[in-house]
Amino acid sequence: MLELTDVQKSFDGFMAVRDARLTVEKGAVVAVIGPNGAGKTTLFNLITGQLTPDRGAIRFKGESIAGLSAHAVCRRGISRSFQVVNIFHRMTVFENVQTAILSRRRMGFRLFRPARSMARKETMAILESVGLSDKAGRVCGQLAHGDQKVLEMAIALGNRPELLILDEPTAGMSADETSVALDLMRRLSEEMGLTILFCEHDMEMVFSIAHEIMVMQAGQTLIQGNPESVRADERVQAAYLGGG
Ligand code: ADP
Ligand code: MG
């Protein structure tokens, strides 16, 4: 579904991403791991059109998307959440998700005024699927951090993506919030067939959910493989897993 080869991006001569490779199969849950500054967020920004690569290929469903605008990438079926929560704090939970749905429909059917009642149904369905329907009327700035992160996933789902990209989806969450978010990711994958690409610091979380893991170090892809092969890799053990 998604394939990156030899992707490179530098900022004022500093190479944040160099020779990054990544393959995401349809239906898979793929994690990118690596220490702070490894280039994970930059890589996601390159995929979703926030940044343009200096070099390399980014192919989604067989077509090049490198250099497309964020808007165009989204329209092709890739939607994302951000490492730092990115929601409209003064709007309600409902309005945040509805806005995503209305803007998607405007993209798709320019000639039609979108029916708000249809968007309402779809909004509530998404809020139900992520477990936020009882908080639909709450103002977002007042939500707990965990709920804000989940809301960001709900907003991304409003774009009806085929590939969902999550930048540290459980960052700053309590253990309880993390397990709720993990359950949600599992359901999105297993019940809704979504393909998920995410990066995360919490190794326990990564190994409990990912089908494939790509390890980044100083902007480069060290290895990509299934959790067993990544866990067994000596370089990975030395760098991240402290020998086990
Ligand atoms: P990660 O998400 O793995 O922690 P990032 O992709 O955020 O890593 O950052 C990779 C490196 O690129 C870091 O050294 C960071 O300081 C640098 N970097 C990221 N974005 C920019 C930018 N817009 N300008 C300059 N340097 C940047
Ligand atoms: Mg990051």
Side-chain angles (χ1 to χ4, degrees):
M1 177 173 261
L2 180 72
E3 180 133 52
L4 276 67
T5 42
D6 301 326
V7 170
Q8 186 178 304
K9 178 71 188 177
S10 47
F11 300 107
D12 298 324
F14 170 74
M15 235 189 263
V17 170
R18 62 172 83 205
D19 190 23
R21 285 164 288 121
L22 175 69
T23 306
V24 179
E25 304 282 350
K26 189 171 163 56
V29 177
V30 179
V32 176
I33 65 172
N36 258 327
K40 304 180 296 294
T41 295
T42 303
L43 192 71
F44 287 1
N45 286 339
L46 290 166
I47 298 169
T48 55
Q50 272 79 26
L51 292 171
T52 301
D54 302 332
R55 218 185 62 190
I58 304 178
R59 300 182 75 78
F60 178 61
K61 295 193 293 183
E63 287 176 31
S64 173
I65 57 165
L68 290 186
S69 70
H71 188 77
V73 172
C74 183
R75 194 162 41 195
R76 287 187 185 216
I78 303 179
S79 191
R80 72 174 293 184
S81 72
F82 290 84
Q83 185 169 347
V84 177
V85 171
N86 190 30
I87 56 180
F88 295 109
H89 285 266
R90 280 146 83 177
M91 294 194 334
T92 64
V93 168
F94 182 88
E95 288 163 343
N96 263 280
V97 176
Q98 188 186 43
T99 299
I101 290 168
L102 289 175
S103 88
R104 181 198 84 223
R105 292 200 177 159
R106 238 171 257 134
M107 281 195 251
F109 308 95
R110 280 173 198 281
L111 296 175
F112 299 95
R113 273 296 298 146
R116 284 197 167 250
S117 67
M118 274 170 67
R120 171 175 297 274
K121 258 191 177 165
E122 192 177 339
T123 301
M124 284 315 291
I126 289 174
L127 289 178
E128 246 146 58
S129 73
V130 303
L132 280 178
S133 54
D134 57 329
K135 293 173 183 143
R138 296 268 295 275
V139 172
C140 294
Q142 295 166 356
L143 292 179
H145 176 71
D147 283 341
Q148 291 189 351
K149 297 281 280 187
V150 169
L151 173 62
E152 237 207 325
M153 282 197 227
I155 293 168
L157 292 174
N159 296 315
R160 289 244 188 106
E162 292 173 68
L163 171 63
L164 180 64
I165 298 185
L166 305 170
D167 195 339
E168 302 201 16
T170 66
M173 284 190 177
S174 67
D176 284 350
E177 289 174 333
T178 298
S179 91
V180 169
L182 265 176
D183 275 351
L184 172 57
M185 286 169 68
R186 269 196 202 99
R187 277 193 292 118
L188 293 176
S189 161
E190 288 165 15
E191 291 168 24
M192 294 167 73
L194 259 182
T195 308
I196 300 176
L197 172 66
F198 73 104
C199 69
E200 187 58 60
H201 281 293
D202 181 344
M203 287 304 134
E204 199 182 325
M205 183 273 196
V206 166
F207 279 93
S208 78
I209 191 170
H211 305 145
E212 283 271 315
I213 298 172
M214 187 271 253
V215 184
M216 266 188 110
Q217 187 174 41
Q220 276 179 297
T221 297
L222 201 59
I223 179 180
Q224 178 178 346
N226 60 36
E228 298 75 51
S229 67
V230 168
R231 209 193 278 277
D233 188 273
E234 280 173 16
R235 292 164 305 171
V236 177
Q237 286 187 7
Y240 307 107
L241 304 174

